[in-house]
Amino acid sequence: MSSEKKPAWQALQSHFEEIKDEHMRDMFEQDTNRFGHFSLTLNDILFDYSKNRISPKTMDLLLDLARECDVQSWRDRMFDGEAINHTEHRAVLHSALRNRSGKQMFADGENVMPEIRHELERITRLANDIRNRTWRGATNQPITDVVNLGIGGSHLGPMMATEALHPYAIHDLKIHYVNNIDENHINNTLETLNPDTTLFIVASKSFTTQDTMMNAETARSWLLHKIGDSKLLELHMIAVTSNARAAVEFGINEDNIFKMWDWVGGRYSMWSAIGLPIVISIGPENFELLLQGAFEADQHFRNAPLDENIPVIMALLGIWYNNFFNAESIAILPYDQNMHRFPAYLQQADMESNGKAVDRDGKHVNYSTGPILFGEIGIASQHAFYQLLHQGTKLVPADMLAPISNFACIANHHRALMSNVFAQTEALMKGKNQDEVIAELKAEGKDDKEIEFLLPYKLFPGNKPTNTFLFYTLDPKTLGSLIALYEHKIFVQGIIWNLNSFDQWGVELGKKMATDILDELNEGAQVSSHDSSTNGLINYYLKLRTLNPKA
Ligand code: F6P
């Protein structure tokens, strides 16, 4: 049965009519322990969801929806290694990569744990060799710079995590990330590097992605130009892929190819050898803690009752706004500078997973699915787009994330930071009403005429929902837990929308067309086979590129 025909969905629709105009201000006044009723913890992570437009009845109905959509049995089917990615006939087992239980996990009837452990040992060895300077380049110098060449899931996870865990990074080793086919990216990076002391990781599950392969070719030429002998390339180039044959053909030594599996989606792969830059940066022990944190979130997701299950609640709140309030977007707002790539990471995780309009039965859905996810560091955003959150016409539910303490922790900085977290969630919830604005303007000495004029501009409607995550500090374990909570949230929403969250056919069309157009650009003749806009753009490009003989 399609999701919106489920009894709980219908009941939520009627309930929405009852509650849609209620203000959270009043809800907080009516229930003085609203925070106690609507907050949960996982280790030291506090998840406060009390500033949402919900009542106990809303939560009961949302939980009914989760039950009616069989969230629990789908969850078990995922952990049991069933091929729930049905369009690609694949299991979805990123949780196996961080399985610390000592128990077996199966894909296609095969226990995947021995291979996972084996690869983890291999990346641990490699990372240690680089970190303790045993790994030497062609001229016997230690590695000072590691460049990850990858895109999408082979880029965002490692980059987000190495940035987030910057305080745990080894100091005399720099990790660089190149994802863009635009030559500026690799050129700007190589400009600062010495081939003798640089190691490239070609990270591509498929080993066919145009952007990554082109950057890998440029990196290989740059290395060969300096080190000459192609046999020595193995000291400067390694690969992470599930397509070992292509990596060998490219010239990578078999011993330096680290494995990925079909049952790990790119956007869920930072726990595999794709996380190699993280291991090199923060060390194997810290990487194990990252895995441990994710494992503990997996355990929570598997075992906590639905009404105490953080990712389930996160997902249901998202459904509430997306499908009943018709909110189109969600904002991810970390109040931790080191989490500055966290929104970008979640953007791929969420939008590539649930940005779909065809359900598991091949039918076009008639309800809204994955939201537009955007975000930035909270403090910077306050001075940029919070205006729209507070006074715009759109409802943008937001997640705020903040550490109670951090590595450097200078009290005046950190207390000021935290005061902004608390103030923004309160301001978004409460708003400012007419009486408050008038009293404030009077106190400023404004006359009645000026007050009447300014009043509409100074009102804040409030009633803007936020979730707040507070955690003691952003250490590897906490980061692992946070990421896994979001992964499971995305999973639960996919189940409720009856989607396969683990394929990404929507990325194919543009890729294929770009390949065909590249042939035309290489040929250089004026084109007429496209629509008039595309013909016009290509022909304009072809005309003007003659200005630069290199273009
Ligand atoms: O084009 C989208 C995508 O397939 C993502 O799903 C994936 O993370 C990215 O490209 C990179 O793919 P690969 O690791 O195979 O190079």
Side-chain angles (χ1 to χ4, degrees):
M1 188 196 291
S2 119
S3 300
E4 94 292 2
K5 296 215 174 94
K6 301 255 191 287
W9 189 288
Q10 307 284 323
L12 279 161
Q13 196 62 62
S14 336
H15 172 65
F16 169 72
E17 294 302 325
E18 288 159 27
I19 202 175
K20 67 180 189 327
D21 297 322
E22 271 190 43
H23 202 288
M24 281 190 274
R25 248 186 203 231
D26 301 326
M27 295 178 179
F28 271 94
E29 267 163 31
Q30 283 151 19
D31 175 4
T32 49
N33 191 23
R34 192 172 161 84
F35 169 75
H37 293 139
F38 294 129
S39 59
L40 292 165
T41 54
L42 170 63
N43 299 325
D44 62 46
I45 301 173
L46 168 70
F47 171 56
D48 171 23
Y49 63 102
S50 58
K51 291 192 184 90
N52 277 291
R53 293 168 70 169
I54 51 167
S55 67
K57 182 171 172 193
T58 321
M59 291 317 296
D60 286 346
L61 292 175
L62 286 168
L63 289 160
D64 285 349
L65 180 66
R67 283 183 210 101
E68 284 176 18
C69 294
D70 281 335
V71 165
Q72 286 139 300
S73 67
W74 277 101
R75 173 190 65 191
D76 296 343
R77 289 164 74 177
M78 173 170 72
F79 282 100
D80 289 345
E82 209 180 286
I84 62 166
N85 174 356
H86 72 305
T87 56
E88 296 180 310
H89 313 290
R90 289 176 184 166
V92 174
L93 271 182
H94 43 278
S95 58
L97 298 165
R98 60 229 188 178
N99 169 22
R100 317 263 94 199
S101 68
K103 293 192 187 135
Q104 302 177 336
M105 288 183 82
F106 293 89
D108 267 340
E110 192 195 328
N111 176 16
V112 294
M113 291 316 300
E115 265 208 323
I116 291 174
R117 275 194 285 271
H118 178 67
E119 287 305 295
L120 189 57
E121 278 160 23
R122 290 184 66 217
I123 60 175
T124 298
R125 248 190 329 269
L126 174 78
N128 280 335
D129 284 351
I130 293 169
R131 285 166 64 86
N132 64 26
R133 301 173 157 245
T134 318
W135 183 289
R136 297 276 161 156
T139 53
N140 202 31
Q141 296 184 61
I143 298 301
T144 56
D145 295 87
V146 173
V147 186
N148 191 76
L149 306 173
I151 197 162
S154 303
H155 161 79
L156 284 162
M159 182 167 77
M160 176 274 291
T162 46
E163 290 290 304
L165 300 174
H166 174 75
Y168 299 84
I170 190 167
H171 292 305
D172 49 2
L173 200 59
K174 281 210 186 72
I175 315 279
H176 311 259
Y177 292 92
V178 175
N179 65 344
N180 200 333
I181 204 163
D182 176 0
E183 62 274 22
N184 284 329
H185 202 179
I186 188 136
N187 278 349
N188 296 351
T189 308
L190 296 183
E191 223 171 64
T192 63
L193 302 178
N194 172 3
D196 293 330
T197 56
T198 301
L199 177 77
F200 290 92
I201 303 173
V202 187
S204 174
K205 182 177 170 187
S206 59
F207 224 78
T208 56
T209 304
Q210 186 194 33
D211 323 68
T212 303
M213 296 325 299
M214 204 169 271
N215 281 325
E217 278 159 25
T218 299
R220 183 175 57 187
S221 312
W222 180 79
L223 283 170
L224 284 175
H225 184 70
K226 177 74 203 297
I227 59 178
D229 186 350
S230 65
K231 287 203 201 82
L232 296 174
L233 205 63
E234 67 183 45
L235 301 172
H236 294 274
M237 234 178 188
I238 65 175
V240 181
T241 185
S242 59
N243 185 358
R245 193 142 55 102
V248 169
E249 271 165 28
F250 182 85
I252 307 230
N253 183 328
E254 226 167 332
D255 293 339
N256 296 336
I257 298 173
F258 298 85
K259 201 166 175 177
M260 282 180 81
W261 299 270
D262 268 358
W263 41 259
V264 192
R267 55 193 172 274
Y268 297 95
S269 65
M270 59 173 277
W271 321 101
S272 70
I274 285 291
L276 189 49
I278 315 172
V279 194
I280 296 171
S281 173
I282 64 171
E285 294 82 12
N286 281 321
F287 188 71
E288 297 261 355
L289 288 170
L290 185 81
L291 300 180
Q292 177 68 27
F295 170 67
E296 289 179 17
D298 292 344
Q299 293 298 97
H300 168 83
F301 178 50
R302 292 184 83 165
N303 301 322
L306 291 190
D307 60 348
E308 292 168 22
N309 199 306
I310 297 175
V312 171
I313 305 280
M314 289 164 75
L316 293 173
L317 293 168
I319 302 269
W320 182 228
Y321 296 117
N322 189 73
N323 295 96
F324 297 92
F325 283 85
N326 294 328
E328 296 256 301
S329 57
I330 55 169
I332 303 292
L333 306 166
Y335 279 76
D336 181 322
Q337 185 58 32
N338 292 338
M339 290 178 87
H340 70 114
R341 298 305 286 161
F342 194 68
Y345 172 77
L346 287 185
Q347 209 162 43
Q348 186 199 10
D350 203 322
M351 294 170 82
E352 206 174 65
S353 296
N354 287 338
K356 293 165 190 168
V358 174
D359 72 11
R360 287 193 153 268
D361 308 312
K363 302 218 172 69
H364 210 281
V365 299
N366 50 8
Y367 44 85
S368 172
T369 60
I372 300 160
L373 187 150
F374 74 103
E376 249 299 340
I377 290 297
I379 288 284
S381 313
Q382 288 174 204
H383 299 272
F385 59 75
Y386 273 36
Q387 164 66 40
L388 184 147
L389 305 191
H390 282 287
Q391 288 188 318
T393 54
K394 298 187 170 53
L395 182 70
V396 185
D399 286 1
M400 315 265 185
L401 303 102
I404 286 159
S405 160
N406 69 23
F407 231 71
C409 227
I410 305 171
N412 61 341
H413 277 262
H414 206 73
R415 288 177 193 176
L417 172 80
M418 294 306 292
S419 69
N420 277 279
V421 178
F422 304 134
Q424 289 296 336
T425 64
E426 189 172 14
L428 285 163
M429 183 276 281
K430 268 182 139 170
K432 199 191 275 184
N433 64 26
Q434 189 156 320
D435 293 347
E436 289 162 339
V437 175
I438 292 172
E440 193 180 273
L441 292 174
K442 275 198 176 139
E444 284 170 20
K446 300 271 190 291
D447 61 28
D448 287 352
K449 201 162 164 235
E450 185 68 357
I451 291 177
E452 195 189 339
F453 166 65
L454 282 176
L455 181 62
Y457 302 103
K458 294 273 196 174
L459 288 173
F460 286 71
N463 223 8
K464 312 284 190 186
T466 53
N467 294 316
T468 306
F469 290 91
L470 294 185
F471 35 90
Y472 176 64
T473 195
L474 190 69
D475 56 20
K477 190 160 164 266
T478 300
L479 181 69
S481 294
L482 286 172
I483 300 165
L485 291 176
Y486 275 99
E487 284 178 351
H488 295 317
K489 168 208 162 154
I490 294 163
F491 170 79
V492 172
Q493 293 190 330
I495 296 304
I496 292 176
W497 289 321
N498 195 26
L499 301 174
N500 175 3
S501 303
F502 301 101
D503 57 14
Q504 57 283 317
W505 302 108
V507 301
E508 305 271 311
L509 177 64
K511 275 192 203 175
K512 166 77 180 77
M513 285 170 76
T515 310
D516 296 344
I517 290 177
L518 181 58
D519 289 342
E520 292 176 331
L521 302 189
N522 286 334
E523 215 168 277
Q526 295 274 299
V527 295
S528 57
S529 55
H530 304 268
D531 60 88
S532 68
S533 162
T534 311
N535 285 336
L537 292 167
I538 294 175
N539 292 333
Y540 185 78
Y541 157 82
L542 289 172
K543 191 166 133 211
L544 260 66
R545 90 170 175 191
T546 55
L547 296 174
N548 179 357
K550 289 201 292 188

